[in-house]
Amino acid sequence: MTDLLPPLPEDWDRCLCVAAHPDDIEYGAASAVARWTAQGKTVTYLLATSGEAGIDSMHPDKARPLRQEEERAGAREVGVEVVEFLDHRDGVVEYGNQLRKDIARVIRRHRPEVVVSGDFAIKMMANMPNQADHRVVGLATLDAARDAGNRWIFPELADEGLEPWGGVRFVAFGGSPSPTHGVDVTGEPLQRGIASLAAHDEYTKGLGAGGPEPGPMLTWFARQGGPAMGVEEAILFETYQIAFEGPMPWA
């Protein structure tokens, strides 16, 4: 391969990962998170729901705290200490101003330079439809990254003591069919990512016989991505620039 994807820029200190459900980040992005926290970066997780509708045999009232705790355990495996939940209803998350504001609030509070989320396209691999909450949360995250920097969008956030934050440089979406960058996770980062997904044991059991084995599945994904960067194992992202970097293109 001659045209290799460039590495995702890593000249930053703070990242916010936003996902719809517990375990979404663990399906790949967590391996990149493990690399970043090992570099001393601060990564925070934000989940729009608690994944309470994800275990068919368990009532949501019981599944909610279980899945929250599995997410916190998985986050610890990759060096993430802060995990927050928005408590939108699992399975029926609605795109709109409330969701955008909820995410923008967290962006203003944590002031990340980079935001990571999941692809919001309708179609995913193997011609399967992307889950509804994934699509909604991904798009709302992209919009909220810009909303957070505008004091006249959701001005009530300033009344909460949260000043605008226009410091998000880019939003990176995992699982995109059109990746623009990659993160080399060969070796320890991938192994820590596997341990992160393995922490979702009860959820995986709830999927039944079709539930994935974290090790083989994540290794396969990473090795599919590796050649795009010329490395053994990689996680690929599509990035959206929120602000120009360097000289203006028309200058």
Side-chain angles (χ1 to χ4, degrees):
M1 181 178 294
T2 56
D3 297 325
L4 298 177
L5 291 181
L8 193 78
E10 294 182 333
D11 56 338
W12 48 267
D13 296 314
R14 298 180 307 281
C15 171
L16 176 69
C17 294
V18 185
H21 315 106
D23 88 320
D24 287 351
I25 298 169
E26 284 71 20
Y27 280 95
S31 295
V33 170
R35 173 187 169 99
W36 297 332
T37 58
Q39 296 171 347
K41 303 183 192 304
T42 298
V43 180
T44 301
Y45 282 4
L46 175 66
L47 289 304
T49 80
S50 295
E52 67 274 9
I55 303 177
D56 184 69
S57 61
M58 187 178 296
H59 191 278
D61 289 347
K62 184 177 180 181
R64 182 178 291 105
L66 170 66
R67 298 212 64 197
Q68 287 183 351
E69 183 49 42
E70 287 192 334
E71 181 60 31
R72 294 187 184 99
R76 288 192 294 270
E77 292 287 349
V78 292
V80 174
E81 298 179 1
V82 177
V83 179
E84 299 182 6
F85 298 88
L86 293 178
D87 206 28
H88 285 255
R89 185 181 168 198
D90 185 16
V92 291
V93 180
E94 296 183 3
Y95 180 90
N97 290 343
Q98 186 60 55
L99 180 60
R100 284 170 54 189
K101 180 168 72 172
D102 288 345
I103 299 171
R105 176 185 288 111
V106 178
I107 291 173
R108 286 193 181 193
R109 183 187 309 128
H110 291 287
R111 305 172 84 80
E113 299 147 271
V114 172
V115 174
V116 171
S117 193
D119 187 53
F120 51 86
I122 294 175
K123 185 183 290 186
M124 52 187 286
M125 61 183 297
N127 288 323
M128 296 178 63
N130 197 358
Q131 199 268 349
D133 291 349
H134 296 170
R135 304 197 307 264
V136 166
V137 172
L139 182 58
T141 298
L142 180 61
D143 292 336
R146 179 172 286 169
D147 295 337
N150 189 326
R151 72 173 58 255
W152 305 120
I153 298 177
F154 312 128
E156 59 271 28
L157 294 179
D159 297 334
E160 300 175 17
L162 298 171
E163 288 298 309
W165 173 246
V168 177
R169 293 167 51 190
F170 60 85
V171 184
F173 291 92
S176 168
S178 304
T180 59
H181 295 76
V183 178
D184 183 354
V185 297
T186 304
E188 183 177 354
L190 176 59
Q191 295 309 308
R192 292 177 66 194
I194 291 170
S196 184
L197 181 57
H200 294 265
D201 184 53
E202 290 300 321
Y203 171 70
T204 303
K205 288 179 182 176
L207 297 177
E213 282 277 342
M217 182 187 66
L218 292 183
T219 299
W220 183 83
F221 281 144
R223 290 181 178 171
Q224 290 293 111
M229 290 189 72
V231 301
E232 184 176 353
E233 296 156 343
I235 303 300
L236 307 183
F237 295 91
E238 181 179 11
T239 63
Y240 287 72
Q241 294 294 136
I242 302 302
F244 284 118
E245 297 188 359
M248 295 299 181
W250 55 83

